[in-house]
Amino acid sequence: MDKKKIATRDGFGEAIVELGRENRDILIVDIDIGKSCKTQAFRKELPEQYLNVGIAEQNGAGVAAGLATCGKIPFVVTYAAFGSMRICEMIRQEIAYPKLNVKIACSHGGVTPANDGASHQAIEDMGIMRTIPNMTVIMPADFYAAKALVKAAAKYDGPVYLRFTRDAVPVIYDEDATFEIGKAKQLRDGKDVAILANGDTVRLALEAADLLAKKGIRTRVLDVHTIKPLDVEAVNACIDEVGRIVTVEDHNILNGLGSAVAEVIAEAGKGRLKRIGIQDQFGQSAPYERLLAMNGITAENIAAEAEKLMK
Amino acid sequence: MDQKELTALKNKATELRIRAVDMIWKAQSGHPGGSLSVADFMAACYFRYMNVDPKNPRWADRDRFVLSKGHVCPAQYAALAMKGFFPMEVLDTLRKEGSPLQGHPSMNKCPGIDISTGSLGQGFACAVGMALAAKLDGKDYRVFSAVGDGECNEGEIWEACGTAHKYKLDNLIVFVDWNNLQLDGTCEEIMPPVNLAKKFEAFGFEVYEIDGNDMAQICDAMDKALAAKNGLPKCIVGKTVKGKGVSYMENQCGWHGTAPNDEQYKQAMEELNALYIKEEA
């Protein structure tokens, strides 16, 4: 595995410049945290496509909706806590209900704004966005996945919530890896247990699969970068062909990837599931890896829980 | 504008009021008070100022109208029907299952609605976004918006003002329907507006204070606002009467979101029809 580490917000920052060069209708609506969300290259190179509405998230969402009705493709850029919760109802009413072509691009997903503490750690965002009709919800696993999925989101005509990491995470994909919205990416195949993860926890799922392999346990690993629309076909294949599923996410265990998979399993009437994620508790200022560990989000614990399902 | 044009416009406002009350009575649901207070501004926009094409409602270069106080949509639905965006009979389907005329405006259901609204404070920010898009594209379409006095309690209104000022949106005209009543009581009781004209001025708008139910004053303010290409967004603060034109509804908080019964409807129609001005021969 490539040990190079880059935050996925940097992938967004690179992709959005490339997109903006190609399509002059692509705009950034910044909310005065652009430096932190990696929009400054765009701001410098494409000033006529760059807007900053100040520390006014609600207005940012509304302005973006108005721009979208006039054919623009605005990316509202902020932190996940604000981009999902502070402007939740603006997204619902002015973007999702009219199905406007606005992208909410958020850095600081999950506990990755580790030192910032609970106020900035977004653990509820994907679940909240998932319950809004017409919304697509994506969290890329690494730098290259982020670049590719930002480009896919720009091509898709409709609202998309994109979530990136503040902190650096290992690069796991090649530069030319391809991604399709709503289509999980299988990284390993195995018939003993399946680990379904997204975002910064995909690398932990791969490490867990390595640990399990040493014990002769063959693990299927899926990067479920899109939790809505969920790749139900891939989940059903895991249920039918593997039967034992562990979900892993840097998100509350309520209403995120684990819940989405649980819904499919419950309706299938078969399959066993263990959800690993934030244990329905607020975080604190602490090192990123420590915050994950406090919630059992480690390769060792994922492997241990997978083994328990084998019994 | 000569007297004949002014009379014709006043009559359009009267017709709009009649149709708004009629559809609310038929639906037995809706918001008559605010529909009547904003009716004159609405009529001025659609029948004198806005460049729209009912046959091509999404025409890219059209002027936009954003009813940020979306609950008074019967006034806008009436204007759209009178303008020919959809047949007049559609007005009878207000708030009924499957109707394009939702309880609050839906842009994907109703031709001529430029953005879905209904949650207060939000539509105005969208109007700012539309005006900004025109500036970015070097186009000369204008954006007209109506906000409520109570709606100005919402912080998002003032956030949006900042963006309108920063990006010099002199193609944006917002009408503040200052009828001094909100859902739970008078503005002073619920949240004192202090001085809305001074507030908008402080936020960088060019402000016109008028009687918002006086068509001549509305047109005078609109003419000035549209002529002033000075980089300033425009705000028309209109002192209005909630329920204007129906005696028992005027200045009555209780008529915010209540439909008239048959007897009340009859009286409303008599009073509103009496407002028509006969054109001089």
Side-chain angles (χ1 to χ4, degrees):
Chain A
M1 189 191 292
D2 193 337
K3 291 293 176 199
K4 193 166 64 166
K5 283 175 128 188
I6 318 179
T8 61
R9 59 177 165 157
D10 290 296
F12 165 70
E14 271 197 27
I16 198 68
V17 177
E18 292 170 22
L19 286 164
R21 262 181 221 142
E22 288 163 16
N23 184 349
R24 298 291 169 177
D25 283 329
I26 288 192
L27 308 176
I28 279 185
V29 178
D30 248 338
I31 302 174
D32 195 38
I33 35 180
K35 283 181 186 164
S36 196
C37 296
K38 303 297 172 185
T39 59
Q40 299 310 289
F42 187 102
R43 178 184 183 181
K44 193 170 173 211
E45 186 178 327
L46 303 165
E48 290 175 356
Q49 291 160 253
Y50 176 81
L51 304 164
N52 198 323
V53 299
I55 309 167
E57 292 83 0
Q58 308 178 108
N59 167 55
V63 166
L67 288 164
T69 65
C70 300
K72 300 295 179 189
I73 308 173
F75 280 68
V76 179
V77 181
T78 180
Y79 292 166
F82 316 140
S84 61
M85 287 172 275
R86 188 175 192 112
I87 57 172
C88 181
E89 199 233 341
M90 289 75 198
I91 291 173
R92 172 188 182 267
Q93 167 64 22
E94 299 300 354
I95 295 170
Y97 175 43
K99 204 169 190 282
L100 290 173
N101 199 10
V102 176
K103 320 300 171 188
I104 312 293
C106 295
S107 179
H108 291 46
V111 296
T112 69
N115 298 328
D116 291 331
S119 61
H120 283 55
Q121 294 161 3
I123 57 170
E124 312 89 341
D125 57 329
M126 296 178 81
I128 289 167
M129 287 295 125
R130 188 169 81 90
T131 61
I132 301 177
N134 291 339
M135 187 53 94
T136 291
V137 184
I138 296 174
M139 184 174 196
D142 79 349
F143 175 80
Y144 292 120
K147 281 193 76 172
L149 284 162
V150 168
K151 290 179 181 180
K155 269 197 196 129
Y156 167 75
D157 184 7
V160 180
Y161 180 79
L162 289 149
R163 185 204 217 212
F164 310 109
T165 65
R166 182 208 173 278
D167 287 6
V169 291
V171 172
I172 58 174
Y173 286 111
D174 293 332
E175 193 174 345
D176 53 3
T178 57
F179 297 84
E180 193 182 326
I181 292 173
K183 191 92 187 133
K185 206 163 167 69
Q186 186 170 305
L187 302 178
R188 301 275 175 87
D189 198 12
K191 292 286 163 71
D192 295 325
V193 66
I195 305 177
L196 276 55
N198 63 17
D200 47 312
T201 64
V202 174
R203 45 124 191 165
L204 297 174
L206 290 168
E207 284 174 31
D210 290 340
L211 296 173
L212 291 164
K214 284 178 191 156
K215 296 183 173 181
I217 296 169
R218 295 159 304 163
T219 307
R220 180 178 295 185
V221 177
L222 291 185
D223 172 1
V224 191
H225 47 75
T226 310
I227 70 160
K228 185 186 178 179
L230 183 71
D231 188 347
V232 175
E233 199 181 324
V235 176
N236 273 319
C238 288
I239 296 169
D240 293 336
E241 296 162 20
V242 185
R244 292 171 285 268
I245 298 174
V246 180
T247 59
V248 192
E249 59 196 314
D250 181 0
H251 186 279
N252 200 338
I253 53 160
L254 302 179
N255 214 13
L257 172 65
S259 295
V261 170
E263 288 157 17
V264 179
I265 289 175
E267 289 190 352
K270 57 183 175 176
R272 293 186 63 198
L273 173 69
K274 175 65 187 178
R275 292 171 299 148
I276 294 176
I278 305 297
Q279 297 299 301
D280 197 21
Q281 62 183 346
F282 288 108
Q284 57 173 292
S285 291
Y288 164 61
E289 297 286 352
R290 276 291 304 139
L291 289 163
L292 292 180
M294 286 173 201
N295 289 280
I297 308 172
T298 63
E300 293 73 20
N301 188 51
I302 297 165
E305 292 293 349
E307 268 193 275
K308 278 188 208 162
L309 285 182
M310 302 285 296
K311 286 170 188 159
Chain B
M1 184 171 49
D2 63 28
Q3 201 57 37
K4 200 176 167 191
E5 283 173 303
L6 182 63
T7 299
L9 208 47
K10 284 179 178 174
N11 283 340
K12 284 287 186 192
T14 296
E15 182 184 346
L16 192 152
R17 284 193 163 89
I18 289 170
R19 296 194 183 281
V21 172
D22 182 68
M23 78 178 91
I24 292 168
W25 171 66
K26 283 173 177 153
Q28 277 301 296
S29 174
H31 297 80
S35 298
L36 292 170
S37 63
V38 82
D40 301 292
F41 174 70
M42 187 74 71
C45 285
Y46 277 97
F47 301 105
R48 183 168 174 84
Y49 293 101
M50 281 174 64
N51 194 15
V52 291
D53 179 3
K55 299 284 169 286
N56 185 8
R58 294 260 171 118
W59 170 41
D61 294 340
R62 71 191 184 280
D63 289 336
R64 270 78 171 167
F65 191 96
V66 176
L67 187 60
S68 198
K69 48 180 303 185
H71 55 284
V72 304
C73 53
Q76 191 177 11
Y77 294 155
L80 290 172
M82 287 158 64
K83 198 80 186 164
F85 279 87
F86 46 79
M88 213 59 94
E89 309 87 80
V90 175
L91 294 179
D92 296 346
T93 68
L94 173 72
R95 291 183 170 234
K96 301 239 162 64
E97 185 177 335
S99 171
L101 310 187
Q102 294 290 294
H104 295 81
S106 170
M107 65 178 287
N108 291 331
K109 289 186 160 67
C110 181
I113 296 296
D114 293 314
I115 184 84
S116 306
T117 57
S119 178
L120 293 177
Q122 299 184 13
F124 181 51
C126 301
V128 169
M130 292 173 190
L132 183 48
K135 291 287 181 193
L136 292 174
D137 288 338
K139 291 189 169 184
D140 56 8
Y141 61 80
R142 293 87 50 94
V143 182
F144 300 86
S145 184
V147 304
D149 46 9
E151 184 178 14
C152 290
N153 296 170
E154 292 278 8
E156 191 181 354
I157 293 287
W158 307 103
E159 292 184 1
C161 285
T163 302
H165 171 75
K166 175 179 175 183
Y167 291 102
K168 301 183 166 51
L169 304 182
D170 55 13
N171 54 346
L172 173 73
I173 295 183
V174 58
F175 177 80
V176 182
D177 186 14
W178 196 351
N179 58 36
N180 211 34
L181 286 175
Q182 43 194 115
L183 196 148
D184 276 341
T186 66
C187 292
E188 273 72 24
E189 272 181 288
I190 305 308
M191 184 50 64
V194 193
N195 187 325
L196 285 170
K198 279 191 181 160
K199 278 186 179 172
F200 274 92
E201 199 174 86
F203 275 80
F205 279 62
E206 185 160 296
V207 177
Y208 308 87
E209 281 185 83
I210 60 164
D211 175 345
N213 292 130
D214 182 318
M215 189 60 83
Q217 290 191 34
I218 291 171
C219 292
D220 183 49
M222 289 281 261
D223 289 341
K224 285 180 189 152
L226 290 169
K229 305 279 182 197
N230 55 4
L232 297 176
K234 309 299 186 304
C235 175
I236 299 174
V237 175
K239 286 280 179 65
T240 57
V241 172
K242 200 161 182 169
K244 177 77 180 175
V246 179
S247 59
Y248 59 86
M249 289 187 184
E250 287 192 358
N251 291 314
Q252 296 303 310
C253 194
W255 286 101
H256 172 81
T258 313
N261 63 26
D262 292 358
E263 197 180 325
Q264 289 162 334
Y265 169 74
K266 195 164 161 278
Q267 186 187 339
M269 288 301 113
E270 281 166 12
E271 291 182 11
L272 289 170
N273 273 298
L275 296 177
Y276 276 120
I277 305 164
K278 286 210 178 82
E279 285 182 51
E280 301 290 324

